[in-house]
Amino acid sequence: MDTVFRDVRVIDGSGGPSYRADVALADGRIAALHRASDAGPRPSAARTVDAAGLALAPGFIDMHAHSDLALLRDPEHSAKAAQGVTLEVLGQDGLSYAPVDDRTLAEVRRAITGWNGDGADIDFSWRTVGGYLDALDTAHGGRGIAVNAAYLVPQGTVRMYAVGWDDRTPSPAELDAMRQLVAEGLAQGAVGMSSGLTYTPGMYAENAELTALCRVVAAYDGYYCPHHRSYGAGALAAYEEMVELTRNAGCALHLAHATMNFGVNKGRAAELLALLDAALAGGADISLDTYPYTPGSTTLVAMLPSWANEGGPEATLTRLRDAGTAERIRHHVEEVGSDGCHGVPIEWDTIEVSGVSDPGLGSYVGRTVARSAALRGEAPWVTARRLLIDDRLGSTILQHVGHEENVRAIMRHPVHTGGSDGILQGTKPHPRAYGTFPRYLGHYARDLGVLSLEETVAHLTSRPAARLRLPDRGLVREGYRADLVLFDPQTVAAGSTFDAPRALPVGIPHVLIDGRFVIEDGRRTDVLAGRTIRRTPGRRR
């Protein structure tokens, strides 16, 4: 044996009662579980860790991550490693960096600068999904990455590649090209497909187009992960649309950051859960993820109506610079309720700037648009328009529109999993990027009792592993991979706050990937044990 954790409280990920045991590791796997009640000798190893007072759980799986470039950029990646995250699912919200050609790569880099930076420090040598996954596996001088990673084919990028930025129905040839790109990505190891249906150009896809692509996903036994068309005025209809679409396509569905936001949805989580329960009872394969906070986070440009973003970022800037067109945009944003803002008229006092691409614009960060406008003695739209233009659409925001009762109700649902939706860019990012998983364990399980600790761990481990169809992860079982986290149930907590969003968690002394310590005694080691998790089932039908 390589390592044995002595007298640890095992929370095995099943949701069942925890128990005391010695847990021994060998060759990157769990080699022996010796319960306190078991007869016979206790396992010994080259290294023994006294784990009394600690809980041992499977490594946490972040079902909604935006670390697509961060894993290549930052070998430590403590934002996730220190939380006990051992696997992230990338390619979210329909926008990422593969598959691309040269034009599409330049466009997508520009479109999601607010999420990941412009990538000037990245060697974009790949063009395919397989090439991107290879780049992760050989990152940092061939040593690999900080945590494991899986990838979703991004439908918005695929549409950008095959159709461009036009709001129109694709030709038969273009639809065939999109089908082929999705199939190739899945064949090369992607676990499914994502969409961002309030982000251009993916939001221009009608249901027939999405259904055709989801049939390809189903053929490869993957799942569809939509950021659907509304989390505001049309939220329930948007959820229902995704349930029906995937039913028609015969495709598994995983709902991204499944929240019920804005004033129109206060207290309405039960309606969403009833919709899901009815679909599950009818045989649907559905799961969802949430983050344990009320504010959301995205880019400021995402608030604009879809027609204002047609044609890509430069076309958007041209419209914003034109006074007449900018007034039309303002009317839709402030009075009608744009599709970018989920059909709800924007409230500028809920929009806090969290990051800018141009450091010279740092005075906006940490203030709401309404506050910055008041300091300037101007209308909020004037301030927002200036920031969009001056920062070339690169600004990120926090959107304070959530409801605590909805957050708690949804996290209790049996198909719920954890996803940080963590954007790591910006001076003042959302604290969920650094705090999601310890916040579940400490604030919601221990302090509030929303879920038991055992059930909470199941939501963060075995349930996402089942969605990803990982046969040897997500549970503490003999023969399973030794992707593990040890934490103190009495002290575990998110260190990150809205004022100090990059503070690391407390109460998580050890994190292992393949039996190697990536966090040891609360400190990041130099181990890079992360690799890509690729689905290779071949076509199902």
Side-chain angles (χ1 to χ4, degrees):
M1 304 293 180
D2 302 318
T3 304
V4 62
F5 294 101
R6 188 77 74 200
D7 193 30
V8 72
R9 177 185 172 186
V10 176
I11 304 177
D12 67 4
S14 70
S18 59
Y19 58 88
R20 294 281 172 188
D22 296 339
V23 180
L25 316 179
D27 299 324
R29 295 187 178 268
I30 300 168
L33 285 168
H34 187 278
R35 297 185 184 229
S37 59
D38 289 348
R42 301 170 76 176
S44 59
R47 176 179 181 182
T48 298
V49 177
D50 180 1
L54 296 179
L56 180 146
F60 304 135
I61 298 175
D62 188 342
M63 287 295 287
H64 193 105
H66 287 285
S67 304
D68 304 49
L69 298 186
L71 283 167
L72 295 168
R73 178 181 289 131
D74 177 15
E76 287 198 5
H77 198 46
S78 292
K80 296 302 177 64
Q83 293 187 60
V85 171
T86 58
L87 169 60
E88 297 184 275
V89 184
L90 313 176
Q92 299 288 348
D93 295 326
L95 291 166
S96 189
Y97 305 95
V100 292
D101 56 10
D102 292 349
R103 171 190 60 81
T104 306
L105 176 61
E107 291 175 348
V108 77
R109 284 176 62 182
R110 178 70 181 282
I112 53 175
T113 292
W115 293 357
N116 300 308
D118 66 7
D121 55 337
I122 302 295
D123 177 13
F124 288 97
S125 58
W126 68 85
R127 293 296 180 270
T128 65
V129 169
Y132 172 64
L133 297 178
D134 289 343
L136 292 172
D137 281 336
T138 59
H140 307 299
R143 296 172 60 214
I145 48 180
V147 304
N148 296 316
Y151 188 73
L152 296 164
V153 179
Q155 170 259 329
T157 301
V158 166
R159 196 175 211 274
M160 197 185 306
Y161 190 134
V163 180
W165 290 83
D166 295 339
D167 182 2
R168 62 174 175 82
T169 301
S171 70
E174 289 168 338
L175 183 57
D176 284 343
M178 285 190 281
R179 286 195 192 100
Q180 183 64 29
L181 288 167
V182 172
E184 289 172 355
L186 292 160
Q188 292 164 13
V191 297
M193 181 181 76
S194 74
S195 282
L197 300 179
T198 65
Y199 299 127
T200 53
M203 70 189 302
Y204 299 141
E206 297 178 350
N207 280 2
E209 177 182 331
L210 296 172
T211 300
L213 299 182
C214 281
R215 286 183 177 134
V216 176
V217 175
Y220 282 85
D221 206 22
Y223 68 92
Y224 181 42
C225 180
H227 164 132
H228 51 275
R229 298 191 193 274
S230 176
Y231 291 83
L236 284 173
Y239 282 114
E240 188 172 10
E241 176 190 18
M242 294 299 101
V243 170
E244 182 66 12
L245 186 154
T246 49
R247 185 191 67 79
N248 290 336
C251 185
L253 173 63
H254 180 85
L255 295 164
H257 37 59
T259 57
M260 293 286 287
N261 289 338
F262 302 92
V264 294
N265 290 316
K266 184 176 176 62
R268 298 184 67 191
E271 296 175 60
L272 166 61
L273 300 180
L275 168 67
L276 299 182
D277 285 339
L280 290 163
D285 183 359
I286 300 175
S287 55
L288 57 88
D289 64 67
T290 71
Y291 46 84
Y293 298 85
T294 52
S297 180
T298 186
T299 56
L300 182 58
V301 67
M303 299 293 99
L304 304 187
S306 56
W307 61 261
N309 283 313
E310 187 176 2
E314 284 302 325
T316 301
L317 285 168
T318 297
R319 294 184 181 102
L320 286 166
R321 292 185 182 110
D322 179 78
T325 309
E327 173 57 23
R328 281 186 62 212
I329 295 172
R330 184 208 64 77
H331 174 73
H332 278 80
V333 167
E334 292 189 340
E335 299 178 34
V336 177
S338 79
D339 47 5
C341 194
H342 309 277
V344 178
I346 202 163
E347 297 176 350
W348 291 112
D349 60 351
T350 69
I351 305 298
E352 177 185 352
V353 178
S354 59
V356 290
S357 295
D358 181 350
L361 301 170
S363 62
Y364 289 96
V365 176
R367 293 175 178 162
T368 66
V369 172
R371 177 59 179 159
S372 288
L375 291 172
R376 291 174 174 270
E378 61 191 18
W381 168 247
V382 175
T383 299
R385 179 190 175 199
R386 178 187 298 109
L387 179 57
L388 285 163
I389 293 170
D390 291 351
D391 206 28
R392 294 185 59 78
L393 313 182
S395 307
T396 52
I397 60 170
L398 304 181
Q399 196 169 15
H400 296 271
V401 292
H403 305 287
E404 180 66 19
E405 65 271 36
N406 287 347
V407 170
R408 296 188 194 187
I410 294 169
M411 75 170 63
R412 292 188 184 102
H413 197 275
V415 301
H416 168 265
T417 68
S420 70
D421 196 12
I423 295 173
L424 300 171
Q425 289 294 117
T427 305
K428 196 180 178 187
H430 197 304
R432 67 193 185 191
Y434 286 74
T436 284
F437 295 87
R439 183 168 168 84
Y440 269 121
L441 299 170
H443 182 64
Y444 282 98
R446 180 191 61 231
D447 298 342
L448 299 180
V450 174
L451 294 165
S452 70
L453 190 57
E454 289 84 355
E455 186 66 10
T456 301
V457 168
H459 284 229
L460 307 181
T461 59
S462 65
R463 293 185 187 172
R467 165 51 69 220
L468 295 167
R469 294 186 173 89
L470 302 177
D472 58 357
R473 300 174 196 264
L475 292 167
V476 179
R477 295 280 192 275
E478 289 185 3
Y480 273 55
R481 292 208 179 247
D483 293 355
L484 302 168
V485 54
L486 286 91
F487 63 93
D488 183 342
Q490 300 305 311
T491 64
V492 64
S496 60
T497 65
F498 287 99
D499 290 330
R502 287 192 170 88
L504 297 179
V506 297
I508 304 180
H510 304 300
V511 181
L512 298 90
I513 296 177
D514 268 2
R516 302 168 65 193
F517 285 83
V518 296
I519 300 290
E520 186 173 12
D521 295 324
R523 296 181 180 178
R524 181 71 172 92
T525 71
D526 63 359
V527 168
L528 293 175
R531 297 296 183 269
T532 59
I533 307 299
R534 310 191 195 199
R535 182 174 297 164
T536 55
R539 290 182 67 88
R540 189 175 70 187
R541 59 180 183 272

